[in-house]
Amino acid sequence: MNPRLAKALVNGLLLGGAAVALFPLLWMLAVSFMPPGTSNALPPPLWPAHPVLDNYRQLFAHAGMGRYVLNSLLISGAITLLSLAFNVLAGYAFAKLRFAGRERLFRALLGLLVVPAQVAMLPLFLLFKYAGLVDSYAGVVLPGMASVLGIFLVRQYARGLPDELLEAARIDGAGEVHIFVRIVLPLLRPVVATLAILTFLTAWNDFMWPLIELTGQGHYTLPLGLASMAREHTEGTEQMMAGSVLTVLPVLALFLAMQRHYLDGLLLGSVKG
């Protein structure tokens, strides 16, 4: 086959696939600016003839969307920060520090990857019920403070750090905390950015655990708020699409802003160790 023809064919397939993937998002954005009832016409319009902002105003004025967005930001931000702290420290310890039972403990952690998260939800709920943490932000945040996948990613990346650099710092009299903060942490920046994106996306989109843990609507996250709206307003398609846009935009902006670090972390972490 002609190389130019092959290149054009590949580019055409990629553009077609991108168009298929982006079309639902673009139509969701378009419907969010349509007047109520407009999107139910046949055939459905692809773009609003007269864009309006009424759907977004109603979300924040009557549906309590501002509260749901704030709850999601607080919970997702807290989970991300705590998860980064614990996962980075644990991953570095498994990679570079020597202590009794290190390999056995790490293999036990890896074994937990095959256990579905749903299995632990009932015991966690009963534990939090006895501890008085049901329907609280802490009850949603605590289970996400660390993850086996996060520890594994940091460990694999940290194993590629030169031991000579760390030993030289120890010979110069630097303590382990100083070595970690001043030397190791800057070198772990790509995998930390990758882990931050993955953790925030997971926490922001999580539906099952907040649904179990949160019983009061005042603590609802954005996915729970949208589900509650869907039950109450079965015909408000345009308003639901506006809520979906609010759900997608923060995580999309975060991913685009940190895309380079995210890809670097995935590529470098896959070849280290």
Side-chain angles (χ1 to χ4, degrees):
M1 181 182 293
N2 189 310
R4 292 185 177 179
L5 179 59
K7 183 178 180 180
L9 181 61
V10 171
N11 290 336
L13 290 174
L14 291 176
L15 289 175
V20 170
L22 290 176
F23 176 76
L25 296 177
L26 295 177
W27 193 71
M28 176 182 69
L29 179 63
V31 172
S32 70
F33 291 104
M34 293 181 184
T38 306
S39 63
N40 296 328
L42 291 176
L46 298 180
W47 195 256
H50 303 286
V52 296
L53 295 175
D54 293 343
N55 299 312
Y56 292 94
R57 293 194 188 100
Q58 292 176 8
L59 281 178
F60 287 95
H62 303 294
M65 189 58 61
R67 180 67 178 179
Y68 301 148
V69 172
L70 181 60
N71 289 342
S72 287
L73 287 174
L74 289 174
I75 291 174
S76 301
I79 290 176
T80 301
L81 292 176
L82 291 173
S83 179
L84 285 178
F86 285 100
N87 288 337
V88 171
L89 288 170
Y92 169 69
F94 278 117
K96 293 298 181 181
L97 301 182
R98 298 189 177 277
F99 53 89
R102 183 184 69 171
E103 296 302 324
R104 289 193 295 271
L105 180 57
F106 182 71
R107 286 195 293 268
L109 284 176
L110 288 182
L112 294 177
L113 285 174
V114 302
V115 179
Q118 292 79 3
V119 173
M121 287 184 178
L122 179 57
L124 272 177
F125 177 78
L126 295 177
L127 178 63
F128 287 170
K129 179 181 178 181
Y130 295 138
L133 295 177
V134 173
D135 194 26
S136 66
Y137 295 128
V140 182
V141 171
L142 288 177
M145 288 176 56
S147 68
V148 179
L149 179 61
I151 295 173
F152 175 77
L153 288 176
V154 176
R155 175 187 179 270
Q156 293 302 103
Y157 190 92
R159 290 184 64 185
L161 301 180
D163 293 329
E164 295 79 6
L165 180 63
L166 305 181
E167 290 299 330
R170 293 187 180 102
I171 292 174
D172 290 340
E176 292 298 331
V177 175
H178 180 85
I179 292 174
F180 177 79
V181 174
R182 301 297 296 273
I183 299 175
V184 174
L185 201 55
L187 296 176
L188 295 178
R189 188 177 303 167
V191 74
V192 169
T194 301
L195 191 57
I197 294 175
L198 293 176
T199 304
F200 188 87
L201 289 177
T202 302
W204 182 269
N205 295 319
D206 190 18
F207 180 82
M208 183 63 69
W209 177 244
L211 178 65
I212 296 173
E213 171 65 21
L214 300 176
T215 58
Q217 198 163 353
H219 290 151
Y220 273 11
T221 58
L222 196 51
L224 293 183
L226 286 177
S228 177
M229 285 176 52
R231 292 193 297 267
E232 297 173 2
H233 307 286
T234 56
E235 298 182 358
T237 304
E238 295 78 13
Q239 191 171 339
M240 287 297 302
M241 289 297 182
S244 300
V245 170
L246 293 177
T247 304
V248 172
L249 280 182
V251 293
L252 182 61
L254 176 65
F255 177 79
L256 293 177
M258 304 183 68
Q259 182 180 11
R260 181 173 62 84
H261 300 290
Y262 173 75
L263 294 176
D264 288 345
L266 286 182
L267 294 175
L268 292 175
S270 64
V271 299
K272 289 184 178 293

